[in-house]
Amino acid sequence: MIVGYTNDAGGRDALALGAAITHLTGGELTVATIYPPASPGLAVEAQANLAHAADQLGDAPAEYLTFESRGTGRGLSVLASRIRSDLIVVGSGSGGRQGRITIGATSNHLLHLSSEAVMLAPAGHEPAGELARLTLAYVHRPQCDEAVERVAQAALRLGVPLRLITLDLRTDDQGKLRDDLALAVRLAWETTGIEAESEVAEGHDVAAAMDDVGWLPGELLVCAASEDAQPHRVFLGELAMKVLRAAPCPVTVLPRGFS
């Protein structure tokens, strides 16, 4: 896992979330600060930022890297590929609502081009002591069916419940939505033996629908890439972006074909 660290609120939120997830999964943590080319002063500042990150993590094991790139999102993606990271963690953009995710320039780049899964921390998020549940935002299409299998496997390995939710914005046939969810629940059972919960979130818009379902402390929401995504790339469409912004918990976005 690689955390994109900046010495601000969003960077500290990302660092805390990345450290918590690493502790939970037993993975390896890399903390990275990106700086622009031909900027020796900013290179020194990047090293200082990593020193701040190391102070925050204390004795927690981690590797600390600076990396030169013309854009932070691009730099994180290139570095993640080089060190074979499975996940990039970043914080919310500045100026957003507390407890929600604001898309900044870095996260916007990653959410449209990353070849690794991307996790975003809401502003001011404090990780719970343990993971309470994995929730997958489900729509009946191939990428989401792939995600059902992957997230069910993760829930089984981590020993946590799995929930599948789909949004009813009062424009679709709810009977069909429930039938699609039932098939997804069956898929999770057939591939892993997990009995997933399922809920239809109702509302006049995405934010209202997201508020219609309960969220646990320690919950993680997972979204699959859009059908417009290139193979092995993240790409989020307009609806999924609204879901991400309305989520009251960290969100992970999977690349197309994620394994």
Side-chain angles (χ1 to χ4, degrees):
M1 177 185 305
I2 184 168
V3 169
Y5 182 76
T6 51
N7 191 24
D8 57 17
R12 290 186 286 273
D13 292 340
L15 183 64
L17 179 60
I21 296 296
T22 302
H23 177 75
L24 178 70
T25 62
E28 298 178 358
L29 176 63
T30 297
V31 183
T33 296
I34 310 300
Y35 66 94
S39 303
L42 293 178
V44 172
E45 184 178 326
Q47 291 285 357
N49 283 345
L50 291 184
H52 287 298
D55 286 342
Q56 291 180 65
L57 288 183
D59 295 333
E63 182 178 8
Y64 298 89
L65 297 174
T66 59
F67 189 73
E68 182 181 288
S69 176
R70 293 189 181 279
T72 301
R74 175 182 172 82
L76 288 172
S77 188
V78 171
L79 183 58
S81 295
R82 289 188 181 181
I83 67 174
R84 298 185 178 180
S85 175
D86 301 305
L87 179 66
I88 301 173
V89 184
V90 293
S92 178
S94 60
R97 178 183 170 190
Q98 191 78 352
R100 295 293 187 271
I101 295 169
T102 298
I103 307 299
T106 298
S107 50
N108 186 63
H109 177 97
L110 293 171
L111 291 172
H112 289 92
L113 286 171
S114 176
S115 54
E116 290 76 30
V118 179
M119 180 182 289
L120 296 101
H125 177 72
E126 295 183 8
E130 59 184 22
L131 184 64
R133 182 170 61 189
L134 290 174
T135 290
L136 174 66
Y138 181 79
V139 179
H140 183 49
R141 51 184 173 82
Q143 285 89 329
C144 276
D145 289 336
E146 290 177 3
V148 168
E149 298 183 40
R150 300 294 172 263
V151 179
Q153 290 165 0
L156 181 66
R157 183 167 64 87
L158 295 170
V160 297
L162 171 64
R163 178 175 64 160
L164 309 178
I165 64 169
T166 195
L167 274 59
D168 175 13
L169 304 183
R170 299 176 182 170
T171 58
D172 295 310
D173 177 359
Q174 189 171 110
K176 183 180 184 306
L177 294 177
R178 292 191 180 278
D179 288 345
D180 290 343
L181 267 181
L183 290 173
V185 168
R186 180 178 176 179
L187 177 61
W189 168 256
E190 290 177 343
T191 54
T192 63
I194 280 186
E195 295 185 20
E197 309 167 41
S198 63
E199 290 188 54
V200 175
E202 300 180 61
H204 62 277
D205 60 19
V206 171
M210 293 290 284
D211 286 341
D212 184 53
V213 293
W215 299 91
L216 301 174
E219 185 132 23
L220 175 64
L221 175 64
V222 182
C223 295
S226 163
E227 59 187 3
D228 295 324
Q230 300 175 29
H232 310 296
R233 294 281 180 174
V234 166
F235 184 87
L236 278 192
E238 182 180 354
L239 180 62
M241 278 289 193
K242 291 179 180 179
V243 169
L244 187 149
R245 291 187 178 102
C249 62
V251 179
T252 297
V253 184
L254 304 180
R256 184 175 179 180
F258 180 79
S259 59

